[in-house]
Amino acid sequence: MTDTASKKNVKDTGLRGDYAGAAPDYSVHQHWERYSEAEHDLYRRLYARQSRLVREYACPEYLHALHKLDAGGGVPRFDDVSRRLRGTTGWELVPVPGLLPDHAFFKHLANRRFPVTVWLRRPDEFDYIVEPDVFHDFFGHVPLLLDRVFADYLQAYGEGGLRAETLGAIGYLARLYWFTVEFGLVMTRAGLRVYGAGLLSSPQELPYSVDDPTPQRLPFDLMRVMRTSYVIDRMQERYFVIDSFAQLFEATAADFAPLYAELADAA
Ligand code: HBI
Ligand code: FE
């Protein structure tokens, strides 16, 4: 979700989660029984509002998966959902305290494990939160783990991230994540739709990203995406539009080493 985690050791970045008790892979226990009724109610209200909005703006694959998951009755039990995911695309959820250092994050994705933050925002953060909480991670990211092509892309992305580390090219791949997994748009027969989690979980930016004339909407181009910087704490000034998840998956098939070299020369 942000490159803060990749810059410094997350234990001292002032992030909200409790990293002290995390395992070496940054996993923690979800302790689902510890969520209060007030937290389940806040989650239900976030889910009710957002699931009305996504009907109009989300891509069909996301809507189909959200319906299948049917996880709007409160904060979901990650173990239950992992069982569902393992049986379809082989993914599972890993409870984490929040943003992870890049290596840990990529390692999980490369092994079909999606890190999901365990804490929920406060009521006064109902409309906006800068760090990913359980609502952003679950409502935004988890449903598309049920889509075979997207799920394959995400694993390929994780493997690419581990390779990028050895080439000092994390920043370029963080941009690819940002402009696809977090803020990606897709052109469908019915028009422009959203698949990016940062948009799907945002009440303001979801309609804005499709309806507002202000932001640029550019055709997905791998090199252009990796050359484009982004801001994390306000609405995006540009979005990239893919034709299909297959297009995304194919984009990761290339060997990125020469691309990184070209980007570094141009920088
Ligand atoms: N950690 N939990 C979590 N979730 C993310 O989306 C995430 C992260 N760490 C790093 C990160 N995203 C991005 O910087 C990577 O794309 C590089
Ligand atoms: Fe995210």
Side-chain angles (χ1 to χ4, degrees):
M1 178 81 181
T2 162
D3 62 2
T4 318
S6 52
K7 286 220 177 64
K8 295 181 281 178
N9 175 340
V10 282
K11 291 193 195 299
D12 62 7
T13 52
L15 292 171
R16 268 160 69 168
D18 174 11
Y19 290 81
D25 68 355
Y26 284 85
S27 59
V28 293
H29 294 291
Q30 185 184 10
H31 292 305
W32 185 85
E33 68 291 344
R34 292 184 186 169
Y35 293 111
S36 67
E37 199 34 49
E39 285 179 305
H40 285 298
D41 183 55
L42 175 57
Y43 190 95
R44 280 191 288 270
R45 288 192 296 114
L46 285 162
Y47 187 98
R49 172 179 60 179
Q50 220 49 33
S51 51
R52 272 194 303 277
L53 270 174
V54 292
R55 270 188 224 122
E56 187 179 345
Y57 294 104
C59 64
E61 296 84 349
Y62 173 88
L63 292 174
H64 178 65
L66 186 73
H67 179 73
K68 266 199 320 193
L69 271 181
D70 186 24
V75 179
R77 292 172 192 260
F78 296 177
D79 288 348
D80 293 352
V81 180
S82 290
R83 262 193 296 283
R84 295 277 304 277
L85 288 168
R86 270 189 220 101
T88 46
T89 54
W91 278 79
E92 62 185 74
L93 305 186
V94 180
V96 294
L99 289 171
L100 306 184
D102 293 321
H103 181 77
F105 183 63
F106 289 130
K107 194 127 184 288
H108 281 306
L109 296 187
N111 289 283
R112 292 194 176 239
R113 295 190 300 259
F114 194 84
V116 180
T117 300
V118 294
W119 55 265
L120 180 66
R121 67 191 68 185
R122 298 186 306 268
D124 63 285
E125 297 170 305
F126 190 71
D127 287 334
Y128 180 69
I129 184 166
V130 66
E131 280 181 59
D133 71 335
V134 62
F135 182 73
H136 162 77
D137 278 340
F138 195 95
F139 187 88
H141 286 287
V142 171
L144 279 178
L145 297 177
L146 284 166
D147 179 274
R148 186 166 309 289
V149 181
F150 189 83
D152 288 351
Y153 164 67
L154 212 44
Q155 180 186 16
Y157 176 86
E159 290 167 344
L162 294 174
R163 281 196 302 274
E165 272 185 306
T166 63
L167 301 166
I170 291 282
Y172 296 124
L173 262 199
R175 290 171 173 174
L176 177 59
Y177 189 86
W178 188 265
F179 287 114
T180 58
V181 180
E182 291 296 355
F183 290 91
L185 299 179
V186 56
M187 187 49 80
T188 74
R189 276 190 297 279
L192 208 51
R193 293 291 184 271
V194 171
Y195 70 93
L199 297 174
L200 292 165
S201 60
S202 163
Q204 296 88 357
E205 197 160 0
L206 181 55
Y208 169 86
S209 67
V210 173
D211 294 335
D212 196 291
T214 320
Q216 277 185 305
R217 293 176 182 89
L218 305 164
F220 177 84
D221 169 290
L222 182 61
M223 290 298 274
R224 175 127 191 214
V225 166
M226 293 204 284
R227 267 202 305 271
T228 305
S229 61
Y230 57 86
V231 292
I232 68 164
D233 50 7
R234 55 185 148 82
M235 298 217 269
Q236 299 305 303
E237 291 158 10
R238 64 189 57 78
Y239 300 101
F240 286 89
V241 185
I242 59 172
D243 301 320
S244 67
F245 293 151
Q247 180 191 8
L248 263 191
F249 182 69
E250 279 137 32
T252 59
D255 169 16
F256 279 35
L259 306 184
Y260 295 144
E262 191 184 324
L263 288 161
D265 289 347

mmCIF file of all heavy atoms in Angstrom, residues 41-75:
data_model
loop_
_atom_site.group_PDB
_atom_site.id
_atom_site.type_symbol
_atom_site.label_atom_id
_atom_site.label_comp_id
_atom_site.label_asym_id
_atom_site.label_seq_id
_atom_site.Cartn_x
_atom_site.Cartn_y
_atom_site.Cartn_z
ATOM 1 N N ASP A 41 -19.678 -4.081 14.282
ATOM 2 C CA ASP A 41 -20.722 -3.182 13.762
ATOM 3 C C ASP A 41 -20.099 -2.145 12.811
ATOM 4 O O ASP A 41 -20.623 -1.897 11.721
ATOM 5 C CB ASP A 41 -21.417 -2.476 14.934
ATOM 6 C CG ASP A 41 -22.556 -1.597 14.401
ATOM 7 O OD1 ASP A 41 -23.422 -2.163 13.687
ATOM 8 O OD2 ASP A 41 -22.534 -0.385 14.623
ATOM 9 N N LEU A 42 -18.929 -1.609 13.184
ATOM 10 C CA LEU A 42 -18.245 -0.639 12.313
ATOM 11 C C LEU A 42 -17.888 -1.321 10.981
ATOM 12 O O LEU A 42 -18.103 -0.779 9.895
ATOM 13 C CB LEU A 42 -16.978 -0.109 13.002
ATOM 14 C CG LEU A 42 -16.075 0.825 12.195
ATOM 15 C CD1 LEU A 42 -16.835 2.048 11.691
ATOM 16 C CD2 LEU A 42 -14.871 1.275 13.037
ATOM 17 N N TYR A 43 -17.396 -2.573 11.080
ATOM 18 C CA TYR A 43 -17.040 -3.302 9.857
ATOM 19 C C TYR A 43 -18.284 -3.500 8.979
ATOM 20 O O TYR A 43 -18.253 -3.263 7.766
ATOM 21 C CB TYR A 43 -16.443 -4.668 10.226
ATOM 22 C CG TYR A 43 -15.832 -5.391 9.041
ATOM 23 C CD1 TYR A 43 -14.476 -5.301 8.766
ATOM 24 C CD2 TYR A 43 -16.626 -6.146 8.164
ATOM 25 C CE1 TYR A 43 -13.914 -5.948 7.666
ATOM 26 C CE2 TYR A 43 -16.075 -6.774 7.063
ATOM 27 C CZ TYR A 43 -14.720 -6.675 6.827
ATOM 28 O OH TYR A 43 -14.176 -7.308 5.721
ATOM 29 N N ARG A 44 -19.401 -3.870 9.608
ATOM 30 C CA ARG A 44 -20.647 -4.087 8.849
ATOM 31 C C ARG A 44 -21.079 -2.796 8.154
ATOM 32 O O ARG A 44 -21.510 -2.815 6.995
ATOM 33 C CB ARG A 44 -21.762 -4.577 9.780
ATOM 34 C CG ARG A 44 -21.701 -6.050 10.126
ATOM 35 C CD ARG A 44 -22.977 -6.510 10.827
ATOM 36 N NE ARG A 44 -23.065 -5.998 12.208
ATOM 37 C CZ ARG A 44 -22.586 -6.653 13.266
ATOM 38 N NH1 ARG A 44 -21.963 -7.826 13.105
ATOM 39 N NH2 ARG A 44 -22.686 -6.135 14.498
ATOM 40 N N ARG A 45 -20.914 -1.650 8.844
ATOM 41 C CA ARG A 45 -21.338 -0.364 8.239
ATOM 42 C C ARG A 45 -20.423 0.004 7.085
ATOM 43 O O ARG A 45 -20.879 0.464 6.031
ATOM 44 C CB ARG A 45 -21.387 0.728 9.306
ATOM 45 C CG ARG A 45 -22.571 0.528 10.265
ATOM 46 C CD ARG A 45 -22.856 1.717 11.154
ATOM 47 N NE ARG A 45 -21.745 2.006 12.065
ATOM 48 C CZ ARG A 45 -21.013 3.126 11.985
ATOM 49 N NH1 ARG A 45 -21.261 4.022 11.032
ATOM 50 N NH2 ARG A 45 -20.017 3.335 12.821
ATOM 51 N N LEU A 46 -19.114 -0.240 7.255
ATOM 52 C CA LEU A 46 -18.171 0.015 6.150
ATOM 53 C C LEU A 46 -18.537 -0.873 4.953
ATOM 54 O O LEU A 46 -18.585 -0.435 3.808
ATOM 55 C CB LEU A 46 -16.736 -0.291 6.597
ATOM 56 C CG LEU A 46 -16.056 0.726 7.524
ATOM 57 C CD1 LEU A 46 -14.858 0.099 8.219
ATOM 58 C CD2 LEU A 46 -15.633 1.966 6.743
ATOM 59 N N TYR A 47 -18.821 -2.131 5.236
ATOM 60 C CA TYR A 47 -19.127 -3.113 4.186
ATOM 61 C C TYR A 47 -20.441 -2.736 3.471
ATOM 62 O O TYR A 47 -20.505 -2.739 2.238
ATOM 63 C CB TYR A 47 -19.258 -4.502 4.821
ATOM 64 C CG TYR A 47 -19.400 -5.629 3.813
ATOM 65 C CD1 TYR A 47 -18.301 -6.386 3.430
ATOM 66 C CD2 TYR A 47 -20.643 -5.937 3.236
ATOM 67 C CE1 TYR A 47 -18.434 -7.420 2.500
ATOM 68 C CE2 TYR A 47 -20.778 -6.945 2.311
ATOM 69 C CZ TYR A 47 -19.664 -7.686 1.956
ATOM 70 O OH TYR A 47 -19.788 -8.700 1.030
ATOM 71 N N ALA A 48 -21.450 -2.345 4.249
ATOM 72 C CA ALA A 48 -22.756 -2.014 3.657
ATOM 73 C C ALA A 48 -22.621 -0.829 2.712
ATOM 74 O O ALA A 48 -23.088 -0.873 1.567
ATOM 75 C CB ALA A 48 -23.762 -1.694 4.763
ATOM 76 N N ARG A 49 -21.895 0.198 3.131
ATOM 77 C CA ARG A 49 -21.743 1.387 2.289
ATOM 78 C C ARG A 49 -20.956 1.026 1.019
ATOM 79 O O ARG A 49 -21.368 1.339 -0.097
ATOM 80 C CB ARG A 49 -20.994 2.499 3.027
ATOM 81 C CG ARG A 49 -20.675 3.665 2.087
ATOM 82 C CD ARG A 49 -19.952 4.792 2.770
ATOM 83 N NE ARG A 49 -18.669 4.389 3.350
ATOM 84 C CZ ARG A 49 -17.872 5.247 3.983
ATOM 85 N NH1 ARG A 49 -18.266 6.504 4.145
ATOM 86 N NH2 ARG A 49 -16.722 4.866 4.487
ATOM 87 N N GLN A 50 -19.846 0.355 1.209
ATOM 88 C CA GLN A 50 -18.968 0.095 0.059
ATOM 89 C C GLN A 50 -19.595 -0.920 -0.912
ATOM 90 O O GLN A 50 -19.425 -0.807 -2.133
ATOM 91 C CB GLN A 50 -17.617 -0.386 0.581
ATOM 92 C CG GLN A 50 -16.418 0.156 -0.148
ATOM 93 C CD GLN A 50 -16.412 1.658 -0.356
ATOM 94 O OE1 GLN A 50 -16.892 2.472 0.440
ATOM 95 N NE2 GLN A 50 -15.890 2.039 -1.496
ATOM 96 N N SER A 51 -20.333 -1.900 -0.384
ATOM 97 C CA SER A 51 -20.896 -2.915 -1.308
ATOM 98 C C SER A 51 -22.020 -2.306 -2.150
ATOM 99 O O SER A 51 -22.276 -2.779 -3.256
ATOM 100 C CB SER A 51 -21.385 -4.156 -0.559
ATOM 101 O OG SER A 51 -22.213 -3.796 0.479
ATOM 102 N N ARG A 52 -22.618 -1.200 -1.686
ATOM 103 C CA ARG A 52 -23.586 -0.493 -2.564
ATOM 104 C C ARG A 52 -22.818 0.218 -3.681
ATOM 105 O O ARG A 52 -23.167 0.129 -4.859
ATOM 106 C CB ARG A 52 -24.374 0.535 -1.742
ATOM 107 C CG ARG A 52 -25.634 -0.019 -1.079
ATOM 108 C CD ARG A 52 -26.548 1.105 -0.579
ATOM 109 N NE ARG A 52 -25.878 2.017 0.348
ATOM 110 C CZ ARG A 52 -25.747 1.764 1.655
ATOM 111 N NH1 ARG A 52 -26.206 0.626 2.157
ATOM 112 N NH2 ARG A 52 -25.125 2.615 2.457
ATOM 113 N N LEU A 53 -21.713 0.846 -3.339
ATOM 114 C CA LEU A 53 -20.933 1.627 -4.320
ATOM 115 C C LEU A 53 -20.303 0.715 -5.372
ATOM 116 O O LEU A 53 -20.314 1.008 -6.566
ATOM 117 C CB LEU A 53 -19.823 2.412 -3.606
ATOM 118 C CG LEU A 53 -20.160 3.812 -3.121
ATOM 119 C CD1 LEU A 53 -18.998 4.387 -2.317
ATOM 120 C CD2 LEU A 53 -20.483 4.721 -4.291
ATOM 121 N N VAL A 54 -19.751 -0.418 -4.939
ATOM 122 C CA VAL A 54 -19.005 -1.249 -5.909
ATOM 123 C C VAL A 54 -19.927 -1.830 -6.977
ATOM 124 O O VAL A 54 -19.474 -2.104 -8.094
ATOM 125 C CB VAL A 54 -18.210 -2.390 -5.228
ATOM 126 C CG1 VAL A 54 -17.072 -1.835 -4.388
ATOM 127 C CG2 VAL A 54 -19.108 -3.316 -4.426
ATOM 128 N N ARG A 55 -21.231 -1.941 -6.668
ATOM 129 C CA ARG A 55 -22.151 -2.499 -7.681
ATOM 130 C C ARG A 55 -22.060 -1.702 -8.982
ATOM 131 O O ARG A 55 -22.124 -2.237 -10.077
ATOM 132 C CB ARG A 55 -23.592 -2.454 -7.152
ATOM 133 C CG ARG A 55 -23.968 -3.720 -6.401
ATOM 134 C CD ARG A 55 -25.456 -3.765 -6.035
ATOM 135 N NE ARG A 55 -25.590 -4.228 -4.654
ATOM 136 C CZ ARG A 55 -26.194 -3.524 -3.692
ATOM 137 N NH1 ARG A 55 -26.752 -2.363 -3.983
ATOM 138 N NH2 ARG A 55 -26.237 -3.962 -2.452
ATOM 139 N N GLU A 56 -21.886 -0.388 -8.820
ATOM 140 C CA GLU A 56 -21.881 0.491 -10.010
ATOM 141 C C GLU A 56 -20.469 0.605 -10.622
ATOM 142 O O GLU A 56 -20.332 0.837 -11.820
ATOM 143 C CB GLU A 56 -22.361 1.879 -9.582
ATOM 144 C CG GLU A 56 -22.565 2.843 -10.739
ATOM 145 C CD GLU A 56 -23.061 4.225 -10.274
ATOM 146 O OE1 GLU A 56 -23.509 4.319 -9.100
ATOM 147 O OE2 GLU A 56 -22.978 5.159 -11.069
ATOM 148 N N TYR A 57 -19.421 0.438 -9.815
ATOM 149 C CA TYR A 57 -18.073 0.779 -10.295
ATOM 150 C C TYR A 57 -17.089 -0.381 -10.419
ATOM 151 O O TYR A 57 -16.088 -0.259 -11.118
ATOM 152 C CB TYR A 57 -17.460 1.836 -9.358
ATOM 153 C CG TYR A 57 -18.176 3.156 -9.400
ATOM 154 C CD1 TYR A 57 -19.042 3.550 -8.381
ATOM 155 C CD2 TYR A 57 -18.033 3.998 -10.511
ATOM 156 C CE1 TYR A 57 -19.712 4.767 -8.438
ATOM 157 C CE2 TYR A 57 -18.708 5.215 -10.580
ATOM 158 C CZ TYR A 57 -19.543 5.591 -9.536
ATOM 159 O OH TYR A 57 -20.223 6.787 -9.591
ATOM 160 N N ALA A 58 -17.335 -1.493 -9.756
ATOM 161 C CA ALA A 58 -16.332 -2.571 -9.749
ATOM 162 C C ALA A 58 -16.473 -3.459 -10.981
ATOM 163 O O ALA A 58 -17.559 -3.563 -11.568
ATOM 164 C CB ALA A 58 -16.486 -3.420 -8.487
ATOM 165 N N CYS A 59 -15.367 -4.112 -11.336
ATOM 166 C CA CYS A 59 -15.396 -5.040 -12.479
ATOM 167 C C CYS A 59 -16.220 -6.269 -12.100
ATOM 168 O O CYS A 59 -16.334 -6.608 -10.907
ATOM 169 C CB CYS A 59 -13.968 -5.429 -12.878
ATOM 170 S SG CYS A 59 -13.082 -6.344 -11.619
ATOM 171 N N PRO A 60 -16.764 -6.972 -13.098
ATOM 172 C CA PRO A 60 -17.638 -8.120 -12.817
ATOM 173 C C PRO A 60 -16.947 -9.230 -12.031
ATOM 174 O O PRO A 60 -17.569 -9.846 -11.152
ATOM 175 C CB PRO A 60 -18.065 -8.601 -14.202
ATOM 176 C CG PRO A 60 -17.456 -7.714 -15.208
ATOM 177 C CD PRO A 60 -16.672 -6.648 -14.537
ATOM 178 N N GLU A 61 -15.647 -9.454 -12.309
ATOM 179 C CA GLU A 61 -14.932 -10.526 -11.587
ATOM 180 C C GLU A 61 -14.929 -10.245 -10.082
ATOM 181 O O GLU A 61 -15.085 -11.147 -9.263
ATOM 182 C CB GLU A 61 -13.479 -10.646 -12.071
ATOM 183 C CG GLU A 61 -13.304 -11.060 -13.524
ATOM 184 C CD GLU A 61 -13.392 -9.887 -14.500
ATOM 185 O OE1 GLU A 61 -13.812 -8.761 -14.070
ATOM 186 O OE2 GLU A 61 -13.049 -10.090 -15.670
ATOM 187 N N TYR A 62 -14.738 -8.977 -9.724
ATOM 188 C CA TYR A 62 -14.726 -8.613 -8.288
ATOM 189 C C TYR A 62 -16.119 -8.825 -7.699
ATOM 190 O O TYR A 62 -16.263 -9.423 -6.627
ATOM 191 C CB TYR A 62 -14.284 -7.155 -8.112
ATOM 192 C CG TYR A 62 -14.413 -6.676 -6.677
ATOM 193 C CD1 TYR A 62 -13.370 -6.845 -5.771
ATOM 194 C CD2 TYR A 62 -15.600 -6.098 -6.227
ATOM 195 C CE1 TYR A 62 -13.497 -6.438 -4.452
ATOM 196 C CE2 TYR A 62 -15.734 -5.699 -4.901
ATOM 197 C CZ TYR A 62 -14.690 -5.866 -4.019
ATOM 198 O OH TYR A 62 -14.827 -5.473 -2.704
ATOM 199 N N LEU A 63 -17.156 -8.345 -8.385
ATOM 200 C CA LEU A 63 -18.524 -8.448 -7.853
ATOM 201 C C LEU A 63 -18.925 -9.903 -7.671
ATOM 202 O O LEU A 63 -19.505 -10.285 -6.655
ATOM 203 C CB LEU A 63 -19.511 -7.726 -8.783
ATOM 204 C CG LEU A 63 -19.354 -6.209 -8.831
ATOM 205 C CD1 LEU A 63 -20.270 -5.599 -9.891
ATOM 206 C CD2 LEU A 63 -19.628 -5.594 -7.456
ATOM 207 N N HIS A 64 -18.534 -10.729 -8.621
ATOM 208 C CA HIS A 64 -18.849 -12.164 -8.557
ATOM 209 C C HIS A 64 -18.173 -12.789 -7.326
ATOM 210 O O HIS A 64 -18.801 -13.498 -6.536
ATOM 211 C CB HIS A 64 -18.349 -12.832 -9.851
ATOM 212 C CG HIS A 64 -18.556 -14.298 -9.917
ATOM 213 N ND1 HIS A 64 -19.817 -14.871 -9.940
ATOM 214 C CD2 HIS A 64 -17.666 -15.322 -9.914
ATOM 215 C CE1 HIS A 64 -19.690 -16.193 -9.980
ATOM 216 N NE2 HIS A 64 -18.394 -16.490 -9.963
ATOM 217 N N ALA A 65 -16.925 -12.428 -7.114
ATOM 218 C CA ALA A 65 -16.164 -12.990 -5.983
ATOM 219 C C ALA A 65 -16.694 -12.454 -4.649
ATOM 220 O O ALA A 65 -16.832 -13.206 -3.672
ATOM 221 C CB ALA A 65 -14.684 -12.651 -6.136
ATOM 222 N N LEU A 66 -17.029 -11.149 -4.616
ATOM 223 C CA LEU A 66 -17.543 -10.565 -3.361
ATOM 224 C C LEU A 66 -18.827 -11.275 -2.948
ATOM 225 O O LEU A 66 -19.018 -11.601 -1.768
ATOM 226 C CB LEU A 66 -17.803 -9.063 -3.562
ATOM 227 C CG LEU A 66 -18.205 -8.288 -2.300
ATOM 228 C CD1 LEU A 66 -16.988 -8.121 -1.379
ATOM 229 C CD2 LEU A 66 -18.779 -6.916 -2.644
ATOM 230 N N HIS A 67 -19.653 -11.548 -3.944
ATOM 231 C CA HIS A 67 -20.927 -12.230 -3.672
ATOM 232 C C HIS A 67 -20.660 -13.648 -3.147
ATOM 233 O O HIS A 67 -21.244 -14.084 -2.153
ATOM 234 C CB HIS A 67 -21.765 -12.274 -4.959
ATOM 235 C CG HIS A 67 -23.069 -12.977 -4.808
ATOM 236 N ND1 HIS A 67 -24.138 -12.430 -4.112
ATOM 237 C CD2 HIS A 67 -23.472 -14.219 -5.203
ATOM 238 C CE1 HIS A 67 -25.156 -13.275 -4.129
ATOM 239 N NE2 HIS A 67 -24.779 -14.371 -4.768
ATOM 240 N N LYS A 68 -19.705 -14.332 -3.767
ATOM 241 C CA LYS A 68 -19.390 -15.714 -3.349
ATOM 242 C C LYS A 68 -18.847 -15.724 -1.918
ATOM 243 O O LYS A 68 -19.176 -16.582 -1.108
ATOM 244 C CB LYS A 68 -18.341 -16.327 -4.298
ATOM 245 C CG LYS A 68 -18.952 -17.121 -5.439
ATOM 246 C CD LYS A 68 -18.036 -18.115 -6.170
ATOM 247 C CE LYS A 68 -16.637 -17.693 -6.432
ATOM 248 N NZ LYS A 68 -15.938 -18.583 -7.413
ATOM 249 N N LEU A 69 -18.017 -14.714 -1.596
ATOM 250 C CA LEU A 69 -17.405 -14.676 -0.255
ATOM 251 C C LEU A 69 -18.458 -14.392 0.799
ATOM 252 O O LEU A 69 -18.407 -14.915 1.910
ATOM 253 C CB LEU A 69 -16.330 -13.583 -0.196
ATOM 254 C CG LEU A 69 -14.919 -13.958 -0.584
ATOM 255 C CD1 LEU A 69 -14.025 -12.736 -0.439
ATOM 256 C CD2 LEU A 69 -14.378 -15.098 0.276
ATOM 257 N N ASP A 70 -19.404 -13.493 0.469
ATOM 258 C CA ASP A 70 -20.511 -13.192 1.381
ATOM 259 C C ASP A 70 -19.988 -12.940 2.799
ATOM 260 O O ASP A 70 -20.419 -13.593 3.763
ATOM 261 C CB ASP A 70 -21.514 -14.355 1.386
ATOM 262 C CG ASP A 70 -22.742 -14.007 2.209
ATOM 263 O OD1 ASP A 70 -23.018 -12.793 2.368
ATOM 264 O OD2 ASP A 70 -23.392 -14.945 2.732
ATOM 265 N N ALA A 71 -19.026 -12.039 2.934
ATOM 266 C CA ALA A 71 -18.344 -11.844 4.238
ATOM 267 C C ALA A 71 -18.682 -10.484 4.839
ATOM 268 O O ALA A 71 -17.809 -9.803 5.369
ATOM 269 C CB ALA A 71 -16.834 -11.963 4.025
ATOM 270 N N GLY A 72 -19.964 -10.114 4.771
ATOM 271 C CA GLY A 72 -20.329 -8.782 5.278
ATOM 272 C C GLY A 72 -20.918 -8.778 6.670
ATOM 273 O O GLY A 72 -21.325 -7.751 7.187
ATOM 274 N N GLY A 73 -20.947 -9.940 7.336
ATOM 275 C CA GLY A 73 -21.646 -10.007 8.624
ATOM 276 C C GLY A 73 -20.815 -9.543 9.813
ATOM 277 O O GLY A 73 -21.244 -9.621 10.962
ATOM 278 N N GLY A 74 -19.608 -9.048 9.564
ATOM 279 C CA GLY A 74 -18.726 -8.610 10.646
ATOM 280 C C GLY A 74 -17.288 -8.863 10.217
ATOM 281 O O GLY A 74 -17.042 -9.284 9.083
ATOM 282 N N VAL A 75 -16.332 -8.621 11.089
ATOM 283 C CA VAL A 75 -14.929 -8.879 10.714
ATOM 284 C C VAL A 75 -14.801 -10.382 10.412
ATOM 285 O O VAL A 75 -15.180 -11.212 11.242
ATOM 286 C CB VAL A 75 -13.957 -8.489 11.854
ATOM 287 C CG1 VAL A 75 -12.521 -8.800 11.440
ATOM 288 C CG2 VAL A 75 -14.113 -7.007 12.207
#
